[in-house]
Amino acid sequence: MKAKKVKPEVPSGFRDYYPQDMIKRNKILHILQNVSERFGFDPIETPHVEKLDVLTGNDPDLQMYLFNATVARGGILNTERINSDMQENPWALRFDHTVPLARFIAANLNLPKPFKRYAYGSVFRGESPQAGRFREFKQFDIDIVGAKEVLADAEVVSFIYEVLTALEVKDFLIKINNRKVLNGLADVLGVTSNQGRVKEIFRLLDKLDKSPWEIIAQELAHKPDNYFDNNAPDLSVEQINLIEQFTHIQGDSLSVLNQAESLINKSVVGQKGIEELSQINSFLKKLKIPIDSWKFDLSVARGLGYYTGPVFETILLDKPNFGSIFSGGRYDDLVNRFVKDVNIPATGASIGFDRFYAAIDSTEKKKRETVTELMFTVLDSTLLDEIFQITTSFRRVGINTEIYFGDEKSLKGQIIRAAKKGIPFIAIYGPDEKNNNTVVVKDLTERKEYKMNLNQAYLEITSIVKPKNKNITGRIYE
Amino acid sequence: MKAKKVKPEVPSGFRDYYPQDMIKRNKILHILQNVSERFGFDPIETPHVEKLDVLTGNDPDLQMYLFNATVARGGILNTERINSDMQENPWALRFDHTVPLARFIAANLNLPKPFKRYAYGSVFRGESPQAGRFREFKQFDIDIVGAKEVLADAEVVSFIYEVLTALEVKDFLIKINNRKVLNGLADVLGVTSNQGRVKEIFRLLDKLDKSPWEIIAQELAHKPDNYFDNNAPDLSVEQINLIEQFTHIQGDSLSVLNQAESLINKSVVGQKGIEELSQINSFLKKLKIPIDSWKFDLSVARGLGYYTGPVFETILLDKPNFGSIFSGGRYDDLVNRFVKDVNIPATGASIGFDRFYAAIDSTEKKKRETVTELMFTVLDSTLLDEIFQITTSFRRVGINTEIYFGDEKSLKGQIIRAAKKGIPFIAIYGPDEKNNNTVVVKDLTERKEYKMNLNQAYLEITSIVKPKNKNITGRIYE
């Protein structure tokens, strides 16, 4: 009896990464790690699986879909195997790197502060799959924990700038705001006592980069649908006018701050927020971060509820539809989810790796499909032992070399296969070469041929192959 | 009302990786990637989540624990959100990289063959947690798909040798066997018609590196417990004697093969297996892989059911209790789980990254706890702007530099903090230095001091800092 064939499908919302993408992605990741280490960020990794209350903080309002974990045996769900603690407090796949970091910090209170870390890996969200939206995606995060000064926030902005410059990204704009300034606005609007309502107003402001002001203004006037609807914005014409004035402030950074201050100077927290932004302004100018690579944008609110101070978003000016590719902010209260009476301020940023890759990938002409630089053809299998020896000597001097193990027997067939995969060089060692103690290397793109003495080949091969592979994104590690 | 504090715990069987481990782990990973690319293996990544039937192949016998995925919203499990396809065919976390590779190959039949890939990442097993055994752990795999010749298996062994040599691992032994040889033994024992019984016998042979022969011999004689127990070994004294002879074969590689052949030469598949091992022997000798770094060991069976040809295990001779740290084999039928009428042979190996790290880590004296090479002290916050500027210039010439953002105000306090974290250099820029247009760098281990002209500092700093950090494992990317 033949077993039924299983469909080779990934679950909906998940995907494979192919070599032509991985080669480039590894290169980006390498640069991210490199710049992070230059800034003194240290690598850590947390598990993909966390306890659900760690992730949600018992917040019934959190609009996120998580994967709950139960245990199966031999393909059959076996609920008896579920740990008792898992029944009370299910396990779930992490949805970001920030909450697990706060958990990590709380579990290791003795770590010397400030603690600076970077992390890379998959996060998971149970979203309805749609074009370009996945349930598993990668994020690269940097965070500074235990530094309350706004200097740390300025360093985060400076990091974003250095990373994007190192990645040769042009035309990006870092948009900076401060939750305290928005809270100041809420103060002046007189809505601070109802945080649900404040949240809804900020959520609408966050949509201003996509929707015209008129639509948002209408929604800001929205009255409660019924008696139980406490969080409707329900703002008056005067309140909405104030918001319009506030979110439409234009000008250079100092002028933006001056105008904002004049609108919210009755709020203590708002003034504190303006002061922090003014310090960031001063740092960024001293650091000579180009004035056209960042600006204050008072409509940036950031979705996640845990931000408490400066917040950042980064857009690509020539690809605004990709949204923010590098975002973050200060979250001074998140560690307090886990510990009493200890205040551990923190700030950081996260690059949406897939979105960012998609954005820069869309301008790419030709992608490298393999890291292989040279393929050894095999025409006479009795010479395989010797071919294997030559290959080993090439590999040891750093040439990415593949021996052709497939079914094509002819030289032409093997060359077609190498060309199809984008391998730029092939090598030939047949009976003639054996007799002459030589090996032949062909440049497939230029149709050039090199005949080398066998004993010298491993010395000469580098100068033939490397110049052609110098600027190849696939060469991650030089 | 204050919210209840959440316990900052990871689920049992999961763990965090700290900088002192991650720095070294990244270095190992970098070497693994590097050697893989030298061999022409290309990177791919598959999702952490797969459909359950993909992973189990509907094998009710599979003794593995998987995590099933359901969807939760806002901390509350919301079964209505479960996709209908997820109810019929749950999702699960992958338990290795091999089965997802077979699924990937079946889903991309047009990929040019042979297809060589490497993959790194977490795999998950619902084991009962115990010392040194985790539910999430990392594996690094290389595989060659679409190459039926035993040359591909020899390349896998050669890869294992090159990787361990590149990692400067001493005293390892690659143990090689062939499932076909074991099937030959089963033929000669006359048990081939009952594959459940064969599996049980192989499982017992696999324990020979841990248990004495006498215990295994007893278990090989074990009779069925009841009428329904079809898979008891139930072997006669003669059969057990044959196994004893077979598993106790000693000598150099050719002699082992000759002795084995004399015992199983009545089996066609057994003879084929011996022939394949003989070819591997010839390749490894031609490649000058040192004779003491590998051997044929006829008791190696490998647990996983999907192997069909040569199998490999690698032990550290001075740390045998870590078991096999690098294992694999040929699995010619696995892609057939997904496709009809297509034969796609494959072979590969997997390094148990955590086990391997634990093994080499146990000989480590002092671990680097940070990638930071130099910490800028901050004694006068009015000079922060300038300190930030100097730091940026240091970072741009490749020095991993941290600015001290913490609460310690005194130089002594900040130096203690740098020393505690293992940062080898500090820099000072105070009012005196500002007046003299200098910056001071102190070597904390040698108590040496360097005074540099501010405008030249970014040129001089490399020659001061780099020699001290040259051999530090933390310097992943030179």
Side-chain angles (χ1 to χ4, degrees), chain B residues 246-278:
Chain B
F246 181 84
T247 53
H248 285 69
I249 290 172
Q250 296 287 340
D252 65 30
S253 53
L254 272 183
S255 149
V256 168
L257 295 185
N258 286 335
Q259 293 174 68
E261 190 170 21
S262 73
L263 292 178
I264 61 167
N265 60 6
K266 283 188 195 117
S267 162
V268 175
V269 66
Q271 280 188 331
K272 172 85 176 116
I274 297 284
E275 192 191 310
E276 287 178 1
L277 289 185
S278 161

Side-chain angles (χ1 to χ4, degrees), chain A residues 5 33 73 162 396 477, chain B residues 33 63 162 336 396 477:
Chain A
K5 295 296 173 193
Q33 289 183 305
R73 179 175 192 151
E162 291 289 335
R396 286 191 180 156
Y477 307 107
Chain B
Q33 289 182 305
Q63 296 294 309
E162 292 287 338
N336 279 106
R396 285 190 180 157
Y477 308 107

